[in-house]
Amino acid sequence: MNEITTLATLATVHFVALMSPGPDFALVVQNATRHGRQTGLYIALGLSCGILLHSIFSLTGVSYIVHKHPMLFSLLQISGGSYLLYLGFGAIHGVWNSVTQSTPIQEKTAESVILTNKRQAFSRGFTTNILNPKALVFFVSLMSSLVPAGMSLTGKGAALIILWGLSLIWFSFLAWALSTKRLQRRLHAIAIYIDGLCGAIFTLLGGTIVWQAISAF
């Protein structure tokens, strides 16, 4: 398999994985819906930078070392799972407050730091991705199976650019599509349900990851 074919295969597999529902997808949907395009785009940038770092770690063998050391991997699982639980509980708490106080959820957006702080939006996207142990396992498997050890530095550099670029394009498109004026008017009416669903996804994934880590001890 030549390098062009390898890169094309890598891009295809990665793009299919990007479109699969998960914490990254849910994070963009939740925040682009509630806080608008700018916040969604900075979260997309944070997510794509997290993916870039995962890719670099996988190519250099750092992720493989972490994956093969149970204690290190369990610590990553607990950290990542706890962060997802934090996001989940925060979303569910916001929904609960909106219901009990009879306040439209979109009126609460001004209270959120992420709405007014680009750095916070980027940080949330980056942290959500880099602490996701499933992402670490995915990129270790992806790189070990599709990127040969003898691949040129140019080829490996192109692989990193492709993985980062596809991630940024996909998540930015998702943020843009969810923040058009027409769609925003419709989504605001069901924002509380979107928040509740995303909160449930974060909580379920985070709880599962933490449970798996604890069970491994």
Side-chain angles (χ1 to χ4, degrees):
M1 184 183 293
N2 58 45
E3 290 192 354
I4 294 178
T5 304
T6 297
L7 293 173
T9 305
L10 188 71
T12 302
V13 173
H14 180 56
F15 190 64
V16 171
L18 284 174
M19 291 188 291
S20 303
D24 294 352
F25 187 94
L27 189 71
V28 175
V29 171
Q30 180 192 29
N31 286 277
T33 300
R34 288 188 59 191
H35 304 306
R37 181 167 298 171
Q38 180 173 270
T39 296
L41 291 175
Y42 273 92
I43 283 179
L45 180 60
L47 289 169
S48 62
C49 286
I51 287 171
L52 176 62
L53 193 56
H54 269 302
S55 303
I56 293 173
F57 284 163
S58 296
L59 277 178
T60 56
V62 174
S63 294
Y64 180 80
I65 293 172
V66 172
H67 189 216
K68 290 301 179 181
H69 284 73
M71 182 61 70
L72 286 176
F73 188 62
S74 293
L75 289 175
L76 176 63
Q77 284 183 301
I78 292 173
S79 299
S82 298
Y83 186 71
L84 290 178
L85 284 173
Y86 162 75
L87 295 179
F89 289 153
I92 293 172
H93 179 69
V95 170
W96 176 256
N97 284 343
S98 297
V99 172
T100 56
Q101 298 174 17
S102 301
T103 304
I105 197 165
Q106 55 265 36
E107 292 182 12
K108 292 181 174 290
T109 55
E111 301 173 6
S112 176
V113 177
I114 199 170
L115 177 62
T116 58
N117 193 324
K118 300 173 184 178
R119 187 176 299 175
Q120 289 289 331
F122 174 87
S123 177
R124 177 156 295 189
F126 180 81
T127 305
T128 299
N129 183 269
I130 202 64
L131 288 181
N132 185 358
K134 294 185 182 296
L136 182 144
V137 175
F138 170 76
F139 283 103
V140 167
S141 302
L142 186 69
M143 294 301 189
S144 62
S145 60
L146 292 181
V147 178
M151 192 176 197
S152 67
L153 289 177
T154 301
K156 291 180 178 178
L160 293 176
I161 293 173
I162 288 171
L163 293 174
W164 175 78
L166 281 177
S167 304
L168 181 61
I169 290 170
W170 167 247
F171 289 127
S172 295
F173 169 76
L174 190 61
W176 176 85
L178 291 170
S179 56
T180 58
K181 291 183 178 180
R182 178 179 297 181
L183 190 56
Q184 278 283 296
R185 286 194 296 269
R186 297 179 179 178
L187 290 175
H188 278 170
I190 59 171
I192 191 170
Y193 302 107
I194 294 174
D195 256 27
L197 178 60
C198 291
I201 292 173
F202 291 138
T203 301
L204 179 62
L205 289 174
T208 301
I209 291 170
V210 171
W211 175 255
Q212 289 175 343
I214 294 174
S215 300
F217 284 112

